[in-house]
Structures are given as structure tokens and as C-alpha cells.
Amino acid sequence: MGKTLVIVESPTKAKTIEKYLPSGYEVMSSMGHIRDLPSSADEIPASVKGEKWATIGVDYEHGFEPLYVVPKGKKKVVTELKRALKDADELVLATDEDREGESISWHLLDVLQPKVPVKRMVFHEITEEAIQDAIKNCREVDDNLVRAQETRRVLDRLVGYTLSPLLWKKIGGKLSAGRVQSVSVKLIVDRERERRAFRQGTYWDLKATVTGDSKPFDATMVRLAGQRLATGKDFDEQTGKVAEGADVLLLDEARARELESSLANQSWQVVSVDEKPQTRKPAPPFITSTLQQEANRKLNLSARETMRVAQDLYQRGFITYMRTDSVHLSGQAIDAARAWVQEMYGDEYLSDGPRQYTTSSKGAQEAHEAIRPSGSRFKAPGETGLSGVELKLYELIWKRTVACQMAESKQTNITIILQAGDAEFRAAGKRIDFPGFFRAYVEGSDDPDAAIEDQEVVLPDLSAGDAVECTQLEAVGHETKPPARYTEAALVKALESEGVGRPSTYATIIGTIIERGYVVVERKALVPTYRAFAVTQLLETHFPKFVDLGFTAEMEQTLDEIAEGNVESVPYLDEFYNSDNGLRNSVDTREADIQPEQARRIQLDGIDVDVRIGRFGPYAEMLHDGEPVRASIPNDILPGDVSQQQLQEILEASARGPESMGKDPETDLDVYLLNGRYGWFVQLGEQDPEDKKKKPKRSSLPKGTEPSDVDLKMALGLLALPRTLGEHPQGGVVQTALGRFGPYVVHVDPDSNKDYRSLKADDHVLTIGFDRAMELLAEPKGRGRGTAKSLKDLGEHPDDGTPIKVLDGRYGPYVKHGKINASIPKDESVENLTLERALELIEARAAKKKTTKKKTTKKKTTKKKTTKKKSSTSKSSSKS
């Protein structure tokens, strides 16, 4: 009997599945997609390079036929799969069960052209029971799902490759547009515009500490003479004043202080006590989007990191498939969750019956079940052998799944109304009558000030007419707050509620807008940059339909209908791209009307000076004595926070020109303290206007140094770096200086080899002495690629069998394969790095290295030719 070849996407998944299949099955990995649209001009076949659609990779004039190519990095994988298929009697395609997985299976079929029977095997968890059941119940590749995924890929390519070149021409290079990406950026920019337009309001109330039944509790003034006091929700965010028509009393500080004095001496009495029972049900089990939101709130994980960790847990058999829109749980899962509730909390904490949830998303068909621990018995977190962030994410999933089969929580909300003179105070309390599912899990919130639901707020047992004593009364001022910026969790929630994109793509989208400089992350908030404002302005002014939430959501619904077989993809694509109002014609028609000068100007509420995007970043411009004055806007001043005063100060300083702090006694040159794109620095002398390439000597300020702390002595000390501290006992010298990653000491030996150590927090580059430098140099070297510490072995490279390792280097952790070193992105953890992801990083680094080498070789060749030409010209001149 021959063998059966099973193909999955990743080596980790292949290794896990192989354990559950009988002998005669060989499991191999395709390493993700083996084929895609061309990513560069090098990948476009010579036969179509002359076609005008070739750069897009989609023949939009003939049925939107995609141009699929096998990238160089995947050719070896295809060869190995074809070789294995020759010895097989059957092919089983076991890629993921969503549209992406269906697409990978279709591409494998199209490329491998098997001559043996083919089956499509699907499963949503990798357990022995699930795999053996799936192998018995295979199906064919679903063409509708494939077409839906292909249409999505084509749409994304059409939008990106049609709008991005326009952005390069009108605003600047390194910009990009995307079907969902640009809508996401617009959401973030719109929120920042709301924040800029926000006008702060101020209101006052009184806080009292009251004692009743010998127990102190807090109360807040809510009414005066029968009129409700204004709170933050009563203010108009555009004016900073109480909204028109609001029947409320606005207390100012003077009136609040007056009441503080008068009410303290009044008699205080309970007017009413109101108790309202409340029952709460547990949240549904996780789907992709809710997992991303909770992991961001509770574990501080990015959406991309959450999906990477979840994928690793799935492929290793710990959880069910992590890309799903369904909150449904199988009977097996419900039984497993209820068994844990009984074991850990007892029967009283079980819900009355098995609790099933209904999926609200119309197009929810990515998978058949919610994200939960796999198997018929969930492994307790402590039984998994997991650690670090993997354990934390698994525990989050485990708790959420178990909690959904627990009894409802029962609590009583208590409100006590107090009277003091003509003022009314309110105290709010909460009594937990039965915690129910709160014993296992409390859902997070996007509101950092929100109370945790399972916390009791105890109030004394009082009745109407009871006298109480005010022991403390304080007038408190409040200021209204602007709308909160989006966090990753909040953005995911917004995109999902608007029906934009698929939850399985949110991680990639957020990662992309961060990597391409459209947003920066500040304390978990997504803050838009100047380029985000510029691109959003251009798109909403000239192509509003393509950044409209409703239009983008309709596209998502159409893709769902294609997946269901109810809509044909080609007519839809033709309407979207080639019709009179389609994207292609819109760009052709509007391009001439878009003036680069206008496109680069950013409109900011409350800013009168011109703010523009330039070749070297954002800058401000104004007229000074009839002449335009420009100044770069430092990177740490973002458009949401920049003020008119800040920009005027920067421009006025630029108009005045640099002001000398004094002269350097050695060169007699002026010393300047300047502020540039990358922050404050000191400079010796002025820039030569005749030679822009020759820069004056400069030095950045050490981290934590304020510009006001810098005097001439410090400036000269910084400009004199590197500073020699003395001779090293083993030869050479010991120096201190400022580098890219901060201040350091270095031993430069007689052969010019350098041994570095970073300064500690208590050391200063201008005051550190020789003895202290020697102490630092004597310490074991930390991170450095020359003595890199091995952190993790990931396995062997599928092409050559050589090991792939994760090492800790001077600039952080990186992946090593042979001579290729690929840095690991900052938002990805070493603990969760998989072999599949490592291969992607290595492939990308190798391609970049190759491109750089080509450019260098080309430059050298050009230089040689130029040199030869000059040489021959010189000889001719000398002969003549």
C-alpha cells in the first residue's frame, strides 16, 4: 500500500498532526502560500512585462485574471512537495478551514497538478479525536470560498496599487493606501480632529464623607434647590459650555466654596433608600475580534502579537482555530466547561442548563466554533507546561470559556439620597448577592476609569428619615475630557461594529499602519502622524467613496455573498474598477486637479500657520518681513497636540537664526543650542551655505537633559566627545562618548578593536572618570552579536537542514540562519516566535540584502565606468 501525502501550512502544525495519523501518512508544510501576486518588478514574467496592467498583477481588461507567481523563496518548497507527491497514492489538503486556508489548498492543487485522488480535510482543533474524525469526513475544495478570497486579494491589490502611486506623486514617497487600511487611518484621524476641536469645560460639585450607623461612606451633591447640577455629559464639546437647552445648574468655584461652608453646619438626613436587583450574564466565548480586544486590555498585547501567540497555541493543539466569527460552542466543549465549573466551584455555580450563544455577525462563516481550549477535557492552565505570554493567553481563553457556562451574577444596586438644607446628595453602593461567573472571569473595558464589576461598594443599613453626620465636605472642580484616542482594542471594536474588514485581518492592518508611520503608539493609544492627516485629507477630498465606512462595509457584504455563491466576482470587480465612477476612472479624472502644494498642506483646527509635509518630514511655514520662513517640526510634537504657540516659537527661532551661547576658545567659532527634527542638539559654527554636504560638528543632548540645563561649558563638553579618559593597562585607550543608543565607554585596543559598555543611569558622559569606566569594562559584556547569547532553537531550515536559532544581540533579539541575521520586530516576543515566522523574517532579510548588494554593485560599476571615462578624457587632454 502506498502513502498518503497530507499538506498543511506550517511545520508546527505538521508536527502536531502527524502524531494523530496512522502509519502511511506523510505530513508536509507548504510554509504558508506557495503562490501570490508579484511583489516586485523582478517577479513579473517577461511575457507580460509590456502590458500596462502587469505592475498591478491583475489583468483588469480581461476578466480580472490574477497574475500568480511562485516567489523564489517558495520554489524549493514546491519542488519538495512535487517530489513527495510522486510517491503518493492520495493527496489530502489539510490547510486551515477559513477562506485563506481554502485559497492555499486551491493554489496547491493548481501548482502541483496531482494525478492521484485529492481530498480536502478540515478541522477546527488539533486533537487526536478531531484529526481522526476529519480524515474520515473529507470534502472537495470549495470554489466559492476560493473565489471570495481571490476577489478580496484582487480588490486590495487594485486599491493599493492604484492609489499609492498617486500619493507618491502628490504628497511624497513611502506612502500607501489600502482598502481597509485607509479607512482605519481615517477613523483614527477623525478622532484626533474631534480632540483638537474639543473645548474644555469646567464645573464644580461637592464631595461629602458621611457617617451613618457608625459607618462612613461617600456622597456627591447632585441637586440644589431642586435643580440638577451639571456634569461632564451636559457640556458641548465644541464650545466648552453647557449644551443649549440643558436644564442644569452650573456651579462655579465661588458658589461651590460658599456651599462648602454653609452646608457643613446643616443637619443631614436620609430622604430615600432605593434597592434595584440586577442580574448579569457572562460574556460569550471568544471570537477573533474579542480575543484581540481583551488581550490588548488585560495583557497589553498588540493585535498582531495576540494572533501570533494564538496561532502557535492552535498549531500545538492547545486551543481551537483562532480565526472565527462564531460564538457557537460544540456539545463537547460545553460539557468540558461545565465539568470544570462543577469541579472548581460546585453545582450552585453552574448555569441552569447548557448555555449557547448566537452569532450576531451576518457573514460569520470563517469557522464553526468559538475560540476555546481544545479537546473533550480542557487542560487547566497549570497542566499545559506553557509559560510566559503563551500561558497568559491560554489562561484568558480558558477562563472565558469556563465562565460562559457559569451561573449569572446577582447583585443589588443601592442608591441613598441625602438632604442637607436645599442641597441633595447621592451615595451609590453595590451588594454582591451571588458572584456567579465573576468568580472566574470579569470582562475588561476600554474605559480605564470603569469600575471592576465584581467589587462591592458597601453602604450602611439606613432608612428614610435617619439622621446622618457629615464629617467632611469638600468643593471639587472638574474639567471635561476630550474623546479618548483609539487603543488597538477600541479600533478593533470600531471596525467590527462598522462591518469593515475581517477580524482575521485586523492584526495585519494595525501592524501596517504603525510600521508605515501613520500612527505611533503612546501609552497604548494610537496617535496619528502628519502623514496620516495628509493622506486622509487627500483621499476624503478627492476619493471620498473609497474611505467611506458604509461603502467599505458593503464591499465586505459582497465578499460574503460571493463566498455563498450568490454574486459573481468578475462583474462586481468590473463595476468597482472600470465603471465611470470606478476607482480607475476616478483616479484618471481627478489626478490633474490635485495640486501637490495643496495636498501637502495639513489643516489643523486652531492653527493659522501653514503646516506641510516635506521631503524630510513635517514643517511649518509663515511669512516674516515678506519672506517665507520654514522650520522642521520635531518628531515628538504630533498633530493632535501641536499648538499655535509652539509653531510660532519654532518659526520665530528660525527667523531670528541661531543665537550663540558663546565661543569655543580653541576655534573661535560660535556654539549654538538648536532644535531639529530629532530633538535638541548643540552645534559648533554655522552651516556653510556654499557646501550643504559638509555639516558643522554637532552633538545630541544626553537623554533626560533639558535645554534649559545646557550652558556653554556643557555644550563644549558634548562637542569635545569622544573624551579620552586614560590608557588601558592592556594597551590602547579608554574613551567615553554618545552613541545611537546612548552614552558609553569604550576600550580601543592598539589594533583599533573596540570593546563597548553602556553607561548606567547614575553615570554621566561628561563626568565619568577612568576608574569608573574600568569598572564598567570589567563587567561581563551584555548584548552584542559578537558574543550573542542563544535564546531558542527553532528547528531546521527546510531548504538546507541547517539550524535556525534565536540569539540575543547588541541591538536586541534576532534570528540566525547561516550568514543571514534577521531582527525580530519590537512588537513580537521571542517566547512566541515560531519556525514559520522565523523563515518569513529570514526570507525578507535575504531579499533586502540581495537588493542592497545589487544597488551597491551597480553603483560601483557606474563609478568604474565614470572613472575610466574621466581617465581617458584626461589622457586625451594631456596628449593635446
Side-chain angles (χ1 to χ4, degrees), residues 17 35 46-47 97 132 144 158 178 194 225 299 314 367 388 419 462 471-472 487 502 626 689 757 769-770 795:
I17 287 174
R35 196 169 65 165
S47 58
E97 64 174 326
Q132 291 185 356
N144 288 331
L158 293 173
E194 291 173 17
L299 306 181
Y314 162 67
Q419 190 78 34
L462 297 171
T471 57
Q472 185 177 347
T487 60
R502 300 294 288 181
R757 296 292 187 281
F770 178 78

Side-chain angles (χ1 to χ4, degrees), residues 8 14 87 238 244 252 278 282-283 349 362 430 482-483 499 509 525 547 596 650 667 673 753 778 796 819 839 877:
V8 297
D87 301 326
Q238 305 296 317
E244 191 175 344
D252 59 15
Q278 183 185 29
Y349 280 91
K362 181 183 175 183
K430 181 191 297 181
I509 290 161
V547 285
I650 292 169
T667 63
L673 175 63
N753 296 313
E796 296 179 350
K819 294 183 179 180
L839 290 169
S877 300

Side-chain angles (χ1 to χ4, degrees), residues 590-666:
R590 298 289 299 168
E591 183 172 354
D593 298 333
I594 303 172
Q595 301 304 315
E597 188 69 15
Q598 187 61 38
R600 292 171 187 148
R601 181 181 290 121
I602 297 169
Q603 304 297 323
L604 295 174
D605 186 80
I607 300 296
D608 291 335
V609 302
D610 281 346
V611 176
R612 303 172 190 261
I613 293 287
R615 183 180 173 188
F616 302 107
Y619 66 92
E621 181 177 281
M622 71 174 186
L623 287 176
H624 180 77
D625 293 336
E627 295 293 327
V629 175
R630 293 181 179 180
S632 292
I633 300 174
N635 287 347
D636 60 346
I637 301 178
L638 292 164
D641 301 319
V642 67
S643 68
Q644 176 80 9
Q645 183 180 347
Q646 280 177 310
L647 294 179
Q648 283 181 332
E649 287 173 358
I650 292 169
L651 286 163
E652 285 167 7
S654 179
R656 288 194 305 268
E659 295 180 6
S660 174
M661 302 177 68
K663 290 188 178 288
D664 173 25
E666 291 186 14

Side-chain angles (χ1 to χ4, degrees), residues 26-27 52 78 116 123 163 168 530 638 642 716 760 802:
E26 181 183 7
V27 186
K52 57 184 178 182
V78 172
V116 295
F123 43 88
L163 285 175
W168 304 338
Y530 293 92
L638 292 164
V642 67
L716 290 171
K760 307 294 185 185
T802 56

Side-chain angles (χ1 to χ4, degrees), residues 51 238 318 438 548 561 777 787 816 880:
E51 303 289 345
Q238 305 296 317
F318 288 107
F438 284 154
D548 178 73
E561 291 173 357
L777 289 167
T787 55
K816 185 173 184 64
S880 59

Side-chain angles (χ1 to χ4, degrees), residues 609-872:
V609 302
D610 281 346
V611 176
R612 303 172 190 261
I613 293 287
R615 183 180 173 188
F616 302 107
Y619 66 92
E621 181 177 281
M622 71 174 186
L623 287 176
H624 180 77
D625 293 336
E627 295 293 327
V629 175
R630 293 181 179 180
S632 292
I633 300 174
N635 287 347
D636 60 346
I637 301 178
L638 292 164
D641 301 319
V642 67
S643 68
Q644 176 80 9
Q645 183 180 347
Q646 280 177 310
L647 294 179
Q648 283 181 332
E649 287 173 358
I650 292 169
L651 286 163
E652 285 167 7
S654 179
R656 288 194 305 268
E659 295 180 6
S660 174
M661 302 177 68
K663 290 188 178 288
D664 173 25
E666 291 186 14
T667 63
D668 200 37
L669 292 173
D670 285 304
V671 177
Y672 301 101
L673 175 63
L674 303 170
N675 192 8
R677 184 181 172 193
Y678 300 106
W680 289 92
F681 62 96
V682 290
Q683 177 176 298
L684 182 62
E686 294 188 45
Q687 174 71 55
D688 183 355
E690 302 297 324
D691 188 359
K692 294 287 186 183
K693 290 184 179 179
K694 186 179 179 182
K695 300 292 182 185
K697 187 167 187 180
R698 294 171 175 171
S699 176
S700 298
L701 302 191
K703 189 176 180 181
T705 303
E706 295 295 327
S708 56
D709 298 334
V710 182
D711 55 18
L712 181 62
K713 181 181 177 182
M714 181 186 287
L716 290 171
L718 292 170
L719 290 166
L721 295 175
R723 183 166 62 94
T724 299
L725 303 177
E727 295 184 5
H728 197 282
Q730 297 175 5
V733 294
V734 176
Q735 294 180 323
T736 183
L738 278 172
R740 182 182 173 192
F741 300 101
Y744 63 88
V745 291
V746 59
H747 169 213
V748 185
D749 71 14
D751 296 323
S752 297
N753 296 313
K754 296 180 180 181
D755 184 20
Y756 295 90
R757 296 292 187 281
S758 294
L759 298 194
K760 307 294 185 185
D762 295 335
D763 299 317
H764 196 284
V765 69
L766 296 183
T767 58
I768 189 170
F770 178 78
D771 291 342
R772 175 57 180 155
M774 289 300 294
E775 286 178 20
L776 292 173
L777 289 167
E779 291 180 1
K781 194 160 187 177
R783 299 187 302 180
R785 293 202 176 179
T787 55
K789 177 185 174 184
S790 180
L791 299 177
K792 193 175 183 181
D793 291 326
L794 294 173
E796 296 179 350
H797 197 288
D799 289 353
D800 54 24
T802 56
I804 294 178
K805 295 185 176 184
V806 180
L807 303 176
D808 192 20
R810 181 180 178 191
Y811 306 122
Y814 64 99
V815 181
K816 185 173 184 64
H817 170 241
K819 294 183 179 180
I820 300 293
N821 295 332
S823 295
I824 299 172
K826 288 181 181 179
D827 64 343
E828 298 180 23
S829 72
V830 172
E831 292 172 331
N832 304 304
L833 189 72
T834 61
L835 177 62
E836 181 183 9
R837 174 58 177 156
L839 290 169
E840 290 175 4
L841 294 172
I842 288 165
E843 186 180 331
R845 177 59 183 157
K848 188 175 180 181
K849 208 170 180 182
K850 193 171 181 182
T851 305
T852 306
K853 191 174 180 181
K854 278 184 180 179
K855 288 180 179 177
T856 306
T857 306
K858 191 175 180 181
K859 282 182 180 178
K860 285 180 178 178
T861 307
T862 307
K863 193 173 180 180
K864 283 180 182 178
K865 287 180 180 177
T866 307
T867 305
K868 285 182 181 179
K869 191 173 181 181
K870 283 182 178 177
S871 178
S872 60

Side-chain angles (χ1 to χ4, degrees), residues 251-267:
L251 283 188
D252 59 15
E253 183 177 4
R255 180 67 174 129
R257 297 288 183 202
E258 182 185 322
L259 289 166
E260 182 182 41
S261 301
S262 63
L263 294 176
N265 300 319
Q266 296 282 345
S267 60

Side-chain angles (χ1 to χ4, degrees), residues 461-589:
D461 187 12
L462 297 171
S463 301
D466 287 350
V468 294
E469 181 187 358
C470 175
T471 57
Q472 185 177 347
L473 188 61
E474 180 186 6
V476 181
H478 305 273
E479 292 176 339
T480 57
K481 296 178 181 179
R485 285 175 169 136
Y486 282 106
T487 60
E488 288 201 23
L491 182 61
V492 166
K493 187 175 182 179
L495 290 170
E496 185 184 34
S497 65
E498 294 289 349
V500 173
R502 300 294 288 181
S504 57
T505 66
Y506 294 157
T508 303
I509 290 161
I510 293 172
T512 298
I513 64 178
I514 293 172
E515 288 165 4
R516 295 186 178 171
Y518 288 110
V519 301
V520 294
V521 183
E522 287 189 353
R523 296 187 297 277
K524 292 180 70 171
L526 301 175
V527 188
T529 61
Y530 293 92
R531 62 169 54 187
F533 271 79
V535 168
T536 299
Q537 283 177 188
L538 186 149
L539 294 177
E540 64 189 0
T541 301
H542 299 281
F543 309 101
K545 180 170 72 173
F546 300 103
V547 285
D548 178 73
L549 286 169
F551 179 74
T552 309
E554 284 174 14
M555 293 170 73
E556 214 60 58
Q557 291 172 13
T558 303
L559 290 169
D560 289 339
E561 291 173 357
I562 292 170
E564 294 162 6
N566 298 326
V567 171
E568 292 292 325
S569 62
V570 173
Y572 172 68
L573 288 169
D574 195 50
E575 174 68 23
F576 171 82
Y577 197 68
N578 288 330
S579 67
D580 291 342
N581 296 319
L583 179 61
R584 181 183 169 197
N585 287 328
S586 296
V587 171
D588 289 343
T589 304

